[in-house]
Amino acid sequence: MKRMIFLATGAAALLAFSACDKKTSDDLKQKAEDAKQKVERKAKEAKEAADRQIEKAKPKLEELGDKAKEATKDAQPKLEQLGKKAKNATQDAIDKTKQAAGSAVENLKNATSASPAGASPTPTP
């Protein structure tokens, strides 16, 4: 009899526990669903806020783009002028190099023609 009471009590406890477990499981499912909805709502709000900021920034971006175009137009003649100066400087450097090479060749010719004609390239003993 004691054993039957013990088994009945155990069975009742198991039924109560499983009912409690079911309730806990349902509560957890509900909490998970609530959390999912909250995350979705926050994500939607964040996207909407980002979209508003993008729309708010578009005029500034267009203004900066226009300023950049103007700066490019202003800089183009200056860049062309600098390009011409660089080209002229390069040509001057080429000309001076040619002159220096020609002068060196002339100096070498003059130095070899001024040496004695009958001189032997080997020293005499």
Side-chain angles (χ1 to χ4, degrees):
M1 179 87 157
K2 283 184 180 182
R3 189 167 219 194
M4 289 293 267
I5 293 174
F6 178 73
L7 288 174
T9 306
L14 280 173
L15 285 173
F17 180 72
S18 97
C20 180
D21 192 34
K22 172 81 169 138
K23 183 180 180 200
T24 303
S25 176
D26 290 343
D27 287 346
L28 287 175
K29 286 180 183 177
Q30 184 61 43
K31 286 181 181 179
E33 184 63 30
D34 292 346
K36 177 183 171 189
Q37 289 175 358
K38 186 176 182 179
V39 167
E40 288 174 353
R41 186 172 58 250
K42 291 290 184 181
K44 183 179 177 184
E45 290 172 3
K47 183 185 179 305
E48 289 171 355
D51 289 344
R52 284 192 301 271
Q53 290 297 327
I54 289 170
E55 287 301 317
K56 194 175 177 181
K58 278 184 181 179
K60 287 275 189 190
L61 289 174
E62 289 174 5
E63 180 183 338
L64 288 173
D66 292 343
K67 285 183 179 180
K69 286 177 186 177
E70 290 176 25
T72 302
K73 288 178 185 176
D74 291 344
Q76 186 174 358
K78 292 176 183 174
L79 289 173
E80 288 175 0
Q81 183 182 16
L82 285 173
K84 287 178 185 176
K85 285 182 179 180
K87 182 179 175 183
N88 291 338
T90 302
Q91 190 59 48
D92 288 347
I94 290 170
D95 293 343
K96 287 181 181 180
T97 303
K98 285 180 181 178
Q99 288 175 357
S103 177
V105 168
E106 281 299 315
N107 288 339
L108 187 59
K109 284 181 183 178
N110 290 338
T112 56
S113 66
S115 65
S120 151
T122 57
T124 55

